[in-house]
């Protein structure tokens, strides 16, 4: 499939639409995955994630590495539609066959990625892209799925986005392997760096443990981006040399398998019910004649009755 | 199984800086439940076709108010053919004089919508064209 951008694009659509044929294709591709370095880019809306992705891709290309990009934007909960606008910042990457960019809508998923994102990433990985950059939706404090999907997570901050209290409580900061303090051309970048340093100091230091570096960048000019890329590469080396890479991969596979099992078992159980059986329970629970816990237990154990 | 989403690229080719119309259309298609890839200003036909390929879109909508439609539309259509993407629906709008419309349609532009067109008309057109295409009905 390598080189055939059309087939790649088509397969990602099938994966997104949960077409039955996508599973078979993913199964065939699976042995060829696991080679790319997967890099997540997350942070609040407008901090400059797409602009950074554009600059990072340019740095990788100068180092003769190929780059796949998946950029996620939110689906409107009202219409189910979406405007996917991350490509606007990536126009400089056009015309380079070593780059493949795909925009993706969340389609109701809440963790900052789409349900199909990790499968789309597998497709790009199997197609031979050396690095896959995954831009999440503009994320706040709870959208932390990216940490499970990517090897290295960059959290992008910009001056003026919150104060030190936020730096202490925000869940998204805990998933950072590398911090980019972007828009460093603006006032306040140094105090953002200081706040992050203080937060990291509170975590304490341990020998051999990775302390997320904090890199100031000006994405619109590309300043600091080669340094950022160096740190991202260093993080991957750290993961590999410390054995964490293998552990992380097993954790990811475990989550994936459990999720697949949940899906499969639920489908199988629902398919085994008598017509109307689920509705009967729904009505009883709604009228408070039964509780949902007993209803679920009863449906799960119905065959042994 | 969730349905096959409609994906559409809305692009502004050439040096034309009028982007209000393109944004209005992008918004209307989103509100109709479609996924709209918006690529921003100053796109070359090559960039547009590359994006259409990577994003695997059903349709490309071009917004042209600069007067360059008689070169830009044909170029996009030619490139689509070269890449084997001739089944992608091409339509557009902006400032396009009536006398140019027949020639554009002959080249394969399926619909042209000028100032004042209601967005409902455009949404209906896109839905119907894509429904027919997916049902395997030929385009007249
Ligand atoms: C607002 C405006 C501007 C604004 C643009 C702001 C912006 N960010 O968009 C500014 C002031 C910057 C501007 C500048 C210029 N403008 Co001006 N501008 C207009 C004006 C008055 C309205 C355009 C508009 O926004 N309409 C509102 C939107 C919603 O309507 P719309 O774009 O037509 O879109 C509708 C349809 O066309 C259609 N549609 C549009 N795109 C698409 C795409 C798809 C896929 C579909 C299905 C439908 C569709 O659906 C929309 C809804 O009905 C028009 C005159 C006019 N009445 O059209 C001139 C006009 C477009 N401008 C014109 C000119 C000449 C210029 C300048 C060159 C002027 C100059 N000498 O400096 C510059 C060029 C700037 C540039 N870099 O390109 C001319 C173009 C002449 C031509 N093509 O032959 C016009 C027609 C004025 C005129 N009568 O001379 N302009
Ligand atoms: N001053 C300044 N502006 C920047 C910098 N980086 C990005 N921007 C601008 O910030 C705005 C948002 O940039 P994007 O790259 O679209 O931000 P994003 O985080 O991808 O946004 P979402 O995807 O919508 O969450 C754009 O107008 C950029 O030009 C920077 O380093 N300095
Ligand atoms: Mg973005």
């Amino acid at each position: 499939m390598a080189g055939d951008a059309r087939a790649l694009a088509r397969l990602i659509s099938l994966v997104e639409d949960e077409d039955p044929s996508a599973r078979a294709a993913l199964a065939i591709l699976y042995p060829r995955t696991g080679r790319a370095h997967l890099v997540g880019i997350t942070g609040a809306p407008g901090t400059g994630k797409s602009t950074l992705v554009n600059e990072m891709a340019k740095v990788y290309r100068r180092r003769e590495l190929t780059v796949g990009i998946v950029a996620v934007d939110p689906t409107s909960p009202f219409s189910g539609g979406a405007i996917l606008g991350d490509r606007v910042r990536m126009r400089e990457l056009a015309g380079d066959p070593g780059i493949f960019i795909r925009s993706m809508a969340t389609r109701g998923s809440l963790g900052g990625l789409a349900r199909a994102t990790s499968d789309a990433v597998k497709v790009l990985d199997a197609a031979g892209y050396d690095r896959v950059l995954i831009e999440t939706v503009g994320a706040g404090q709870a959208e932390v799925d990216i940490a499970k999907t990517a090897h290295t997570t960059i959290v992008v901050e910009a001056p003026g986005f919150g104060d030190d209290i936020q730096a202490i409580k925000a869940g998204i900061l805990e998933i950072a392997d590398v911090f980019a303090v972007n828009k460093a051309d603006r006032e306040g970048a140094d105090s953002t760096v200081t706040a992050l340093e203080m937060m990291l100091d509170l975590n304490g230091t341990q020998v051999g443990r990775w302390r997320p570096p904090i890199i100031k960048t000006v994405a619109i000019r590309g300043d600091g981006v080669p340094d950022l890329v160096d740190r991202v590469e260093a993080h991957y080396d750290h993961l590999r040399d410390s054995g964490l890479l293998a552990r992380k991969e097993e954790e990811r596979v475990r989550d994936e398998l459990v999720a697949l099992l949940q899906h499969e078992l639920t489908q199988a159980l629902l398919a085994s019910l008598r017509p109307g059986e689920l509705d009967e329970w729904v009505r009883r629970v709604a009228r408070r004649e039964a509780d949902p816990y007993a209803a679920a237990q009863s449906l799960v154990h119905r065959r042994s009755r | 199984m969730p349905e096959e989403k409609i994906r559409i690229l809305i692009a502004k080719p050439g040096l034309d800086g009028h982007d209000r119309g393109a944004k209005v259309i992008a918004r209307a298609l989103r509100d109709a439940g479609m996924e709209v890839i918006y690529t921003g200003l100053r796109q070359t036909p090559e960039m547009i076709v590359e994006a259409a390929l990577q994003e695997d879109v059903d349709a490309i909508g071009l917004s042209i108010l600069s007067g360059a439609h008689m070169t830009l539309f044909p170029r996009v259509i030619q490139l689509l053919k070269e890449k084997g993407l001739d089944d992608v629906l091409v339509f557009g709008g902006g400032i396009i004089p009536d006398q140019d419309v027949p020639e554009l349609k002959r080249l394969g532009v399926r619909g042209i919508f000028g100032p004042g067109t209601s967005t409902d008309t455009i949404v209906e057109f896109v839905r119907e064209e894509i429904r027919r295409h997916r049902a395997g009905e030929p385009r007249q």
Side-chain angles (χ1 to χ4, degrees):
Chain A
M1 184 171 65
D4 192 345
R6 178 100 206 263
L8 200 80
R10 197 66 217 119
L11 180 52
I12 295 177
S13 300
L14 293 175
V15 165
E16 280 198 285
D17 292 335
E18 293 179 24
D19 189 284
S21 65
R23 275 199 173 195
L26 285 171
I28 292 170
L29 291 181
Y30 193 76
R32 285 198 272 152
T33 61
R35 288 185 243 184
H37 177 187
L38 313 181
V39 182
I41 296 92
T42 190
T47 46
K49 298 179 291 296
S50 301
T51 315
L52 267 179
V53 165
N54 179 61
E55 291 301 320
M56 288 178 68
K58 280 161 60 186
V59 171
Y60 281 123
R61 292 301 289 140
R62 283 203 290 274
R63 299 182 187 179
E64 298 187 357
L65 294 163
T66 55
V67 185
I69 297 170
V70 178
V72 187
D73 268 329
T75 292
S76 155
F78 303 105
S79 68
I83 292 187
L84 311 175
D86 293 317
R87 277 189 101 97
V88 172
R89 315 277 174 219
M90 303 180 195
R91 36 176 295 123
E92 290 175 313
L93 307 180
D96 180 347
I99 291 190
F100 186 100
I101 308 171
R102 182 61 177 239
S103 313
M104 211 171 205
T106 53
R107 298 196 183 175
S109 174
L110 296 176
L113 298 177
R115 207 139 54 94
T117 301
S118 68
D119 284 338
V121 167
K122 276 185 208 146
V123 173
L124 292 171
D125 181 356
Y129 290 95
D130 299 311
R131 302 288 180 271
V132 179
L133 307 182
I134 309 155
E135 178 185 342
T136 72
V137 300
Q141 304 179 334
E143 297 89 343
V144 295
D145 281 359
I146 186 65
K148 289 185 178 167
T149 305
H151 297 121
T152 304
T153 301
I154 304 173
V155 172
V156 185
E157 293 281 320
F161 274 81
D163 54 24
D164 11 331
I165 302 301
Q166 253 134 3
I168 293 171
K169 77 171 182 194
I172 200 174
L173 298 183
E174 290 169 32
I175 64 170
D177 299 308
V178 178
F179 283 104
V181 174
N182 191 41
K183 307 199 184 183
D185 54 324
R186 296 220 179 137
E187 215 175 308
D190 288 323
S191 52
T192 304
V193 172
T194 309
L196 290 172
E197 292 284 8
M198 278 172 58
M199 181 203 73
L200 292 175
D201 288 341
L202 289 177
N203 293 351
T205 39
Q206 267 170 270
V207 189
R209 182 154 138 212
W210 176 264
R211 180 181 164 112
I214 302 169
I215 316 298
K216 282 199 280 183
T217 57
V218 183
I220 40 168
R221 297 201 299 255
D223 297 357
V225 180
D227 190 19
L228 179 69
V229 169
D230 288 342
R231 303 307 179 101
V232 167
E233 298 288 298
H235 180 254
Y236 189 79
D237 294 343
H238 165 80
L239 285 180
R240 198 189 42 217
D241 300 343
S242 63
L244 279 171
L245 191 65
R247 238 174 58 207
K248 222 177 147 107
E249 179 65 4
E250 281 180 16
E251 268 170 44
R252 193 193 58 71
V253 170
R254 184 182 309 273
D255 285 347
E256 186 178 25
L257 262 182
V258 169
L260 279 172
L261 282 173
Q262 280 170 349
H263 182 76
E264 293 284 326
L265 292 175
T266 307
Q267 292 306 111
L269 181 89
L270 289 175
S272 76
L273 298 182
R274 262 188 296 110
E277 192 170 2
L278 185 65
D279 291 337
E280 277 165 35
W281 279 105
V282 168
R283 273 192 298 275
R284 292 185 57 196
V285 173
R287 286 197 232 101
R288 303 298 188 274
E289 293 164 13
D291 64 83
Y293 317 98
Q297 283 299 321
S298 178
L299 284 166
V300 168
H301 297 298
R302 55 192 289 286
R303 251 175 294 171
S304 52
R305 263 184 296 144
Chain B
M1 193 187 92
E3 90 278 40
E4 210 183 317
K5 274 271 178 198
I6 295 178
R7 287 171 66 86
I8 300 196
L9 181 71
I10 295 293
K12 287 276 330 162
L15 300 175
D16 179 8
H18 298 91
D19 60 359
R20 287 188 197 162
K23 286 178 173 162
V24 167
I25 301 304
R27 181 65 199 268
L29 296 173
R30 181 198 79 166
D31 291 344
M34 303 177 198
E35 290 181 355
V36 180
I37 293 102
Y38 181 66
T39 50
L41 295 170
R42 286 183 292 282
Q43 300 281 305
T44 64
E46 286 78 7
M47 290 162 92
I48 290 167
V49 171
E50 182 186 65
L53 186 145
Q54 295 180 346
E55 301 288 354
D56 189 34
V57 294
D58 301 282
I60 303 177
L62 301 180
S63 178
I64 308 178
L65 286 80
S66 64
H69 49 275
M70 292 313 276
T71 51
L72 292 169
F73 272 111
R75 181 78 184 127
V76 166
I77 285 176
Q78 182 202 344
L79 287 170
L80 284 173
K81 284 212 178 90
E82 284 172 17
K83 302 267 177 195
L85 295 173
D86 5 21
D87 61 334
V88 174
L89 167 71
V90 178
F91 66 114
I95 304 293
I96 295 170
D98 289 343
Q99 76 254 25
D100 292 340
V101 172
E103 174 62 6
L104 290 173
K105 291 213 162 157
R106 194 188 62 75
L107 287 166
V109 182
R110 301 285 303 169
I112 301 278
F113 303 91
T117 316
S118 90
T119 53
D120 289 346
T121 308
I122 293 167
V123 166
E124 230 2 86
F125 162 83
V126 172
R127 274 219 183 99
E128 181 56 18
E129 283 281 332
I130 289 175
R131 188 198 62 74
R132 287 225 302 266
H133 181 61
R134 287 186 178 169
E137 293 170 32
R139 292 188 173 137
Q140 302 88 2

